[in-house]
Amino acid sequence: MTRHSVIARLGPRDSAAVPQHMAGALETEIRFIAGDRRLGFGLGDMITQLFARGIVPSECAVDVGILAACVTAADTRIERAADSQDGWTREIDLHIPVQDAALWTAGAPRLERILRFLTGDRWRLFFRQRHADYCTLVTRPRNLIRPTVSSVCLFSGGLDSFVGAIDLLAAEQTPLLVSHYWELSTSSQHSCANRIGAVYGAMHPRHVRVRVGFDSNDFSHAMGTEPTTRGRSFLFFGLAAMAASGLEGRPVIHVPENGLISLNVPLDPLRVGAWSTRTTHPFYMNRWQDLLDHLGIPAQFANPYRFKTKGEMLAECANPELIRRFAHETISCSSIAKARWKGLAPGHCGFCVPCLIRRAAFSAARLADTTAYTIADLQAQPLNSRSPEGEHVRSFQLMARRLRRRPYLAKLLVHKPGPLSAYDAAEIAQYGEVFRRGIEEVAALTRRVVVQPR
């Protein structure tokens, strides 16, 4: 096991010694400003794009962005297999320069809880005052235009975000779509935005798309690669906070995600804790809201689809024609590159959890699904329960059987992936119902699928 201490540096003058809080920890430095005052690793590009749309992020929100970038660096470059005792749980310290060290230090326990819940690792956060030369990282440009947007909407290029953006624009709202791209799974963002823009007007003034990520040359010594990326939504939320901090009033940050995926209740006993993703879980979103409130960033997170299944989102979309024609261009698969192992072009596998929920949603909404799946017909032949192509189907089948026999389990199982203590009994009952309905959607797809060991 290797303990890691990731130290964020700004420019050349940010060279003060950082206290060692982990004995024997491997220290890694990331320098965010090389020669000028522009932030690197995509954050400077984010600020430039916001400026072009009349939005000036706050200094505190830029600190959020730097922290989120450091979380991404640690999460994607510290290997679980090599650097943890149990093959999963890593021990990571982050040292971040901020404009108000006292404010951030007081919020450190909140942040550590958010990150522990999200990734399953042991995080410790330490904040120090920015060097005087970097006290201001955002210089308001001259002749700034007035923003034409009033809220923020996460736009991943997935089916839910496609529906979310359409619904907002159809309701004559003015959201800024915020996208983060890095790999093939985000390649649909640009084309999906163009499809929407062809109906609701050019999307360029109301869409920012940035690449924040790190390769082996960005660190002070060699680092590996970690594919699990449990912390990816921390960066997505951080970029949204940067955008929202420059809008007037208390803008909403829309997080469009169906209730079944948002809850992500483990379908079998082995998928517990951070083995199941928690990227939009209600507890996680509430903790982010607490953090924004503590930092004084006046924005409000909201998932308008938390009590809807994916099929219900599709069926009730405000522009059925857009969905009918272009929904297949969105990307849902958990790993569209895995088809390469079979010598095929990257694409939806058709059998991972997100693919199964996607296929079931099209069926439930009575829409033709023209998505190209590696396994085009789940019923063509028996699926192997001992391999990924069959294990998720089998898990959905077993969960559906459990809920049919004991329907009351739904409102109990929704507590398993994370606390719902912030919600009253009526809301918890709705979470239980959307979980049950979501499982039934997938059950309708998989009812006649044969899964057996080989």
Side-chain angles (χ1 to χ4, degrees), residues 80-81 84-90 115-121 226-232 261 263-279 334 353-354 391-392 416-418:
R80 294 188 185 276
S84 64
Q85 288 183 336
D86 58 2
W88 185 267
T89 308
R90 301 165 295 186
L115 291 169
R116 280 197 300 269
F117 178 78
L118 183 64
T119 73
D121 302 301
E226 173 53 49
T228 54
T229 62
R230 285 294 184 263
R232 60 188 177 274
I261 281 287
L263 288 167
N264 207 12
V265 176
L267 299 176
D268 60 65
L270 296 180
R271 295 194 66 83
V272 295
W275 285 100
S276 286
T277 57
R278 295 163 158 182
T279 53
S334 61
V353 168
E391 64 177 344
H392 299 305
K416 197 166 187 177

Side-chain angles (χ1 to χ4, degrees), residues 9 14 51 54 65 72 80 107 136 154 241 328 448:
R9 299 285 189 186
D14 183 3
F51 282 171
T72 297
R80 294 188 185 276
T136 301
L154 300 188
H328 69 280
R448 293 181 177 85

Side-chain angles (χ1 to χ4, degrees), residues 95-292:
H95 298 265
I96 313 294
V98 292
Q99 191 184 57
D100 187 341
L103 176 69
W104 278 93
T105 299
R110 289 182 176 87
L111 279 161
E112 291 167 355
R113 190 179 188 192
I114 290 172
L115 291 169
R116 280 197 300 269
F117 178 78
L118 183 64
T119 73
D121 302 301
R122 298 189 181 113
W123 298 80
R124 294 193 302 178
L125 277 65
F126 303 95
F127 299 99
R128 66 184 188 279
Q129 205 72 22
R130 291 183 197 166
H131 187 280
D133 284 7
Y134 311 105
C135 186
T136 301
L137 295 176
V138 180
T139 302
R140 187 181 183 89
R142 296 178 181 178
N143 303 320
L144 194 71
I145 65 172
R146 184 176 180 81
T148 59
V149 297
S150 59
S151 66
V152 172
C153 181
L154 300 188
F155 192 71
S156 66
L159 188 50
D160 288 6
S161 71
F162 191 57
V163 172
I166 291 171
D167 285 352
L168 287 170
L169 292 166
E172 299 185 347
Q173 296 193 42
T174 55
L176 176 73
L177 305 187
V178 173
S179 299
H180 170 256
Y181 71 96
W182 183 258
E183 54 184 12
L184 285 171
S185 63
T186 56
S187 60
S188 60
Q189 294 165 355
H190 187 67
S191 61
C192 287
N194 285 341
R195 298 300 190 190
I196 295 171
V199 176
Y200 298 105
M203 294 304 299
H204 178 73
R206 41 190 174 172
H207 184 203
V208 295
R209 185 170 183 260
V210 295
R211 183 182 190 271
V212 178
F214 302 81
D215 58 37
S216 58
N217 298 321
D218 296 325
F219 302 93
S220 55
H221 60 78
M223 298 282 279
T225 300
E226 173 53 49
T228 54
T229 62
R230 285 294 184 263
R232 60 188 177 274
S233 74
F234 195 89
L235 176 61
F236 213 174
F237 280 34
L239 295 175
M242 286 180 65
S245 72
L247 300 179
E248 294 181 354
R250 186 175 170 82
V252 175
I253 299 175
H254 301 277
V255 184
E257 186 87 276
N258 71 84
L260 180 62
I261 281 287
S262 182
L263 288 167
N264 207 12
V265 176
L267 299 176
D268 60 65
L270 296 180
R271 295 194 66 83
V272 295
W275 285 100
S276 286
T277 57
R278 295 163 158 182
T279 53
T280 61
H281 190 275
F283 177 81
Y284 174 69
M285 289 184 61
N286 276 337
R287 298 291 72 74
W288 253 100
Q289 188 63 60
D290 289 346
L291 175 64
L292 293 191

Side-chain angles (χ1 to χ4, degrees), residues 393-429:
V393 171
R394 185 61 174 158
S395 292
F396 272 114
Q397 290 174 334
L398 292 174
M399 179 59 75
R401 187 179 304 167
R402 286 182 71 191
L403 293 181
R404 288 194 201 105
R405 290 174 176 172
R406 295 184 286 177
Y408 66 89
L409 282 178
K411 64 180 180 181
L412 301 179
L413 290 173
V414 293
H415 293 275
K416 197 166 187 177
L420 294 173
S421 54
Y423 300 93
D424 59 29
E427 289 175 307
I428 292 174

Side-chain angles (χ1 to χ4, degrees), residues 378-397:
L378 294 172
Q379 300 180 42
Q381 60 184 15
L383 302 179
N384 184 3
S385 62
R386 293 175 177 170
S387 72
E389 71 176 31
E391 64 177 344
H392 299 305
V393 171
R394 185 61 174 158
S395 292
F396 272 114
Q397 290 174 334

